[in-house]
Amino acid sequence: MAFFDCKLKSQALAGTTTVRLFWPGDIDLWRGQAPRAVFTLLHGFTNDGDDWVNFSAALRYAADNNIALVIPDAANSFYNDMAAGPAYYTWLTQELPALLGGMVQLPAGREKNFVCGLSMGGYGALLLGLTHPEAYAGCASFSGAVDMRSMLGAAQSDPRSRMVMAPVFGPELALPAERDLFALAQQVCGLEPGQRPKVLCTVGRQDMEPYYIYQQNQNFREFVRDRAPALDYTYMEWDGVHEWNFWDRSLVHAIDLFLNPGYADKKLGDWAAEAAVERPGREALV
């Protein structure tokens, strides 16, 4: 497996940033073959892309499926062009694809590109996927902050949240329609069916305070059902909170939905396999 930790200079960010690239092409199973697809993985608030490498099995799942990974950093930007900060949305949607296209041979074409993210990155993944359906065949939010309007409303009376949100959305904490996932979901419904990206949202039933992520996902789910029914939308929930066991499993489901049907059942079967245990001097256990 080939893994590159790249430092790239960005005009949109007015500085240098890190992007991690993973190729499975030196594995015997895929040797000599181009990657089957590209998954861009977006990190959560206060963190960076190293989390995907250090805390998940993303590289192993990518190797299973001959997937190239692009794992960028985006600070606490919510993947927006910040009101008082760098232009991360422009970086991710314009400058980074152009730079990578000139440096490495990633699979091109909408049908081979997908974007997934957790928490803040879940909002970012849907933002990128719904604003650029010509670039991504699917986008997935894992425990995502999908109801940004409710988050900004709560931040109006919370000084700590305001401190975080104001540099991104401005002192008025206004959410323009082009950054509102609810409005974007409706907009995408106006496209021809083959032009709409697949959308996956996963959330843990116990993912509550402080940001009420479970309720945010219920709000989005109900909106899609009632006002954007043409969206190619899959919703999944199971017992879980805001942590890596949940996000690791979510990535497996995204690969299953977007690229390799049956992969989730295989991995769940691997995890559920019974273990025969033997301890010296004791009866064998099953």
Side-chain angles (χ1 to χ4, degrees):
M1 298 182 289
F3 183 82
F4 304 90
D5 200 2
C6 306
K7 300 293 185 182
L8 300 178
K9 190 166 186 178
S10 164
Q11 294 181 350
L13 304 181
T16 301
T17 187
T18 299
V19 179
R20 301 146 199 86
L21 305 176
F22 169 79
W23 265 264
D26 60 343
I27 300 172
D28 288 342
L29 181 62
W30 310 119
R31 191 174 297 275
Q33 298 184 39
R36 183 179 181 185
V38 180
F39 274 57
T40 298
L41 303 181
L42 306 183
H43 64 79
F45 185 72
T46 73
N47 296 300
D48 63 21
D50 282 345
D51 286 5
W52 276 110
V53 178
N54 295 331
F55 299 124
S56 82
L59 273 62
R60 180 158 53 87
Y61 301 149
D64 285 347
N65 293 280
N66 195 19
I67 295 170
L69 299 178
V70 177
I71 311 176
D73 286 350
N76 293 334
S77 67
F78 283 86
Y79 300 90
N80 276 249
D81 287 348
M82 300 175 69
Y88 280 100
Y89 179 83
T90 298
W91 160 244
L92 291 167
T93 60
Q94 298 179 31
E95 192 177 6
L96 178 59
L99 281 173
L100 291 180
M103 295 167 54
V104 293
Q105 291 184 339
L106 288 170
R110 171 186 186 270
E111 70 282 359
K112 294 184 178 182
N113 277 270
F114 307 89
V115 57
C116 307
L118 63 94
S119 194
M120 177 187 81
Y123 166 82
L126 266 56
L127 177 65
L128 269 60
L130 295 176
T131 55
H132 286 277
E134 80 289 351
Y136 299 103
C139 52
S141 164
F142 312 149
S143 311
V146 294
D147 188 354
M148 189 56 62
R149 192 170 298 281
S150 72
M151 288 194 68
L152 293 176
Q156 295 282 357
S157 57
D158 181 353
R160 185 174 180 274
S161 294
R162 172 177 283 277
M163 178 182 68
V164 169
M165 295 295 195
V168 180
F169 296 101
E172 301 301 320
L173 301 183
L175 182 67
E178 63 269 21
R179 296 295 178 263
D180 182 354
L181 300 183
F182 291 66
L184 292 170
Q186 280 191 312
Q187 180 177 308
V188 164
C189 288
L191 299 174
E192 292 297 321
Q195 297 176 330
R196 301 170 196 157
K198 291 183 178 180
V199 178
L200 170 65
C201 290
T202 68
V203 68
R205 297 187 183 109
Q206 291 76 35
D207 198 340
M208 300 297 183
E209 296 182 359
Y211 302 113
Y212 299 96
I213 296 297
Y214 183 78
Q215 187 57 53
Q216 287 193 47
N217 278 266
Q218 300 316 301
N219 296 346
F220 188 68
R221 178 188 181 191
E222 293 170 7
F223 180 88
V224 170
R225 181 190 63 203
D226 296 339
R227 300 181 62 184
L231 191 69
D232 190 350
Y233 171 73
T234 300
Y235 170 84
M236 301 180 70
E237 67 171 57
W238 58 88
D239 287 338
V241 292
H242 213 69
E243 51 83 37
W244 278 100
N245 284 322
F246 187 88
W247 301 325
D248 200 82
R249 180 175 170 182
S250 294
L251 180 57
V252 168
H253 283 294
I255 293 171
D256 181 284
L257 177 66
F258 296 154
L259 194 67
N260 187 4
Y263 183 63
D265 287 342
K266 179 184 182 303
K267 298 312 295 182
L268 289 171
D270 291 346
W271 297 324
E274 294 185 2
V277 181
E278 183 175 348
R279 296 174 181 164
R282 301 185 185 183
E283 183 179 353
L285 302 177
V286 176

